[in-house]
Amino acid sequence: MKILIATDKPFAAGAVSSIRKVIEDAGFQCVLLEKYTEKSQLLNAVTDANAIIIRSDIIDAEVLNAAKNLKIVVRAGAGYDNVDLNAATANDVCVMNTPGQNSNAVAELALGLMVYAMRNFFDGSSGSELSGKKLGIHAYGNVGRNVARIAKGFGMEVYAYDPYCPVEVMEQDDVKHLSTVEELYSGCQFVSLHIPATAETKNSINYDLLGKMPEKALLVNTARKEVINEPELVKLMEERPDFKYVTDIMPSNHEEMLAKFEKRYYSTPKKIGAQTSEANNNAGIAAAKQIVDFFRTGNQKFRVNK
Ligand code: 3PG
């Protein structure tokens, strides 16, 4: 049984050793493809793989068709918008994610980006504090929940909107539940995005919604760039000199954003939310264990395709 770890953005070396150990202790073979630059390298590597562990690596129909022996793909992380689920189902391939395993890392970065923006990107000028400010968490999943926990430590007033999350979960965390997305944006100076990229959410963070945010608004995106309507964000920021945007996913219009909003915009050069040794270990080992369990017992608990 050949298990391929295919990561354009590599896991920490220690995490790779731990993942390899789980795979080899189960009697399987572990193959590593890191930092590949051409799709052809991935296509070659998958030819005889029975399972693949990936991160944000694109697993499309071409990759799935090239992987003749493939039975399972595990996305070591939360979002699986990089995998063609229909093509996987058509090829009888099970797709799983590892929910929650990297959520603390992403949440810590969201708060770090907030501090960075509110201290004027460390330019030495007088900034402002997070304490006492209203934070709106858009989607209360594993990351949103960790953001709430940490934000409370900063003394922020925390609100959340998530039509898929039971109100009791927010109440249990002492987070104020809002029943419409408009209320979240109109009531909170800070909004942190934690929605997945789906047909429903793509381009949904638009001019109308962002225009509702109060004075000195800050939008923090550690989710996906596709959820932002980029041209409308530009229009809004042109009209609102008080509006700041910080993101861990470089927008398609990064150069334009930099040129126009140098003092109000920041993007990490490469997505680093989940790039900690802890998150790499948690998500990578979980992925390896899920694969071993899948082959040994047929367990499909974290399956995300039909
Ligand atoms: C996720 O969906 O788990 C995060 O976006 C992390 O993605 P990464 O593994 O590519 O860093």
Side-chain angles (χ1 to χ4, degrees), residues 77 98-105 142 278-284 286-287 290 302:
T98 64
Q101 299 293 345
N102 59 19
S103 51
N104 182 66
N142 290 309
E278 293 88 342
N280 291 170
N281 264 302
N282 293 342
Q290 285 171 214
F302 296 104

Side-chain angles (χ1 to χ4, degrees), residues 22-81:
V22 172
I23 293 169
E24 290 177 352
D25 283 356
F28 301 159
Q29 187 191 348
C30 180
V31 181
L32 186 62
L33 173 70
E34 288 182 331
K35 289 188 191 169
Y36 55 93
T37 49
E38 305 293 332
K39 189 178 183 183
S40 58
Q41 294 171 270
L42 179 62
L43 290 171
N44 282 337
V46 299
T47 324
D48 56 352
N50 302 102
I52 318 177
I53 296 175
I54 53 159
R55 297 185 64 176
S56 290
D57 306 80
I58 308 291
I59 302 297
D60 59 14
E62 193 186 1
V63 176
L64 290 159
N65 291 336
K68 298 283 177 231
N69 299 332
L70 191 63
K71 289 283 165 240
I72 177 168
V73 174
V74 181
R75 195 282 189 240
Y80 44 85
D81 47 304

Side-chain angles (χ1 to χ4, degrees), residues 41-286:
Q41 294 171 270
L42 179 62
L43 290 171
N44 282 337
V46 299
T47 324
D48 56 352
N50 302 102
I52 318 177
I53 296 175
I54 53 159
R55 297 185 64 176
S56 290
D57 306 80
I58 308 291
I59 302 297
D60 59 14
E62 193 186 1
V63 176
L64 290 159
N65 291 336
K68 298 283 177 231
N69 299 332
L70 191 63
K71 289 283 165 240
I72 177 168
V73 174
V74 181
R75 195 282 189 240
Y80 44 85
D81 47 304
N82 48 320
V83 181
D84 184 334
L85 297 187
N86 291 331
T89 303
N91 284 271
D92 198 20
V93 171
C94 171
V95 182
M96 295 186 188
N97 66 349
T98 64
Q101 299 293 345
N102 59 19
S103 51
N104 182 66
V106 179
E108 286 189 11
L109 184 74
L111 269 295
L113 287 171
M114 284 180 217
V115 171
Y116 187 46
M118 297 321 285
R119 295 303 180 98
N120 302 328
F121 306 107
F122 300 166
D123 71 356
S125 64
S126 183
S128 56
E129 300 176 20
L130 304 189
S131 181
K133 308 292 188 317
K134 290 182 178 166
L135 168 65
I137 299 181
H138 190 167
Y140 205 67
N142 290 309
V143 182
R145 213 168 173 186
N146 275 291
V147 167
R149 174 181 55 78
I150 303 168
K152 281 164 171 287
F154 274 92
M156 300 186 90
E157 224 178 283
V158 184
Y159 296 78
Y161 166 76
D162 188 336
Y164 301 103
C165 174
V167 177
E168 301 76 57
V169 173
M170 298 177 198
E171 284 174 350
Q172 209 177 300
D173 294 351
D174 201 19
V175 164
K176 295 178 191 77
H177 161 258
L178 295 173
S179 45
T180 66
V181 71
E182 287 79 15
E183 281 175 275
L184 188 86
Y185 283 75
S186 58
C188 297
Q189 182 189 342
F190 293 66
V191 170
S192 192
L193 294 171
H194 303 293
I195 46 179
T198 63
E200 184 195 349
T201 64
K202 281 181 185 165
N203 287 312
S204 67
I205 308 305
N206 57 23
Y207 180 85
D208 284 349
L209 199 55
L210 296 172
K212 295 185 191 309
M213 289 181 73
E215 223 191 322
K216 296 190 179 157
L218 173 67
L219 178 67
V220 182
N221 186 2
T222 53
R224 290 291 181 270
K225 70 173 181 176
E226 291 81 3
V227 302
I228 304 280
N229 184 319
E230 292 175 345
E232 293 192 16
L233 175 62
V234 170
K235 178 168 145 56
L236 181 93
M237 288 180 71
E238 279 170 345
E239 290 172 15
R240 289 266 311 259
D242 64 308
F243 195 105
K244 287 182 180 171
Y245 178 55
V246 284
T247 180
D248 184 35
I249 315 93
M250 190 175 281
S252 320
N253 60 349
H254 172 67
E255 294 304 328
E256 180 190 10
M257 293 288 286
L258 258 191
K260 290 186 169 161
F261 314 116
E262 199 201 344
K263 300 237 179 265
R264 296 187 281 133
Y265 161 74
Y266 172 76
S267 171
T268 52
K270 190 157 186 154
K271 188 164 66 143
I272 54 157
Q275 196 60 323
T276 66
S277 57
E278 293 88 342
N280 291 170
N281 264 302
N282 293 342
I285 292 171

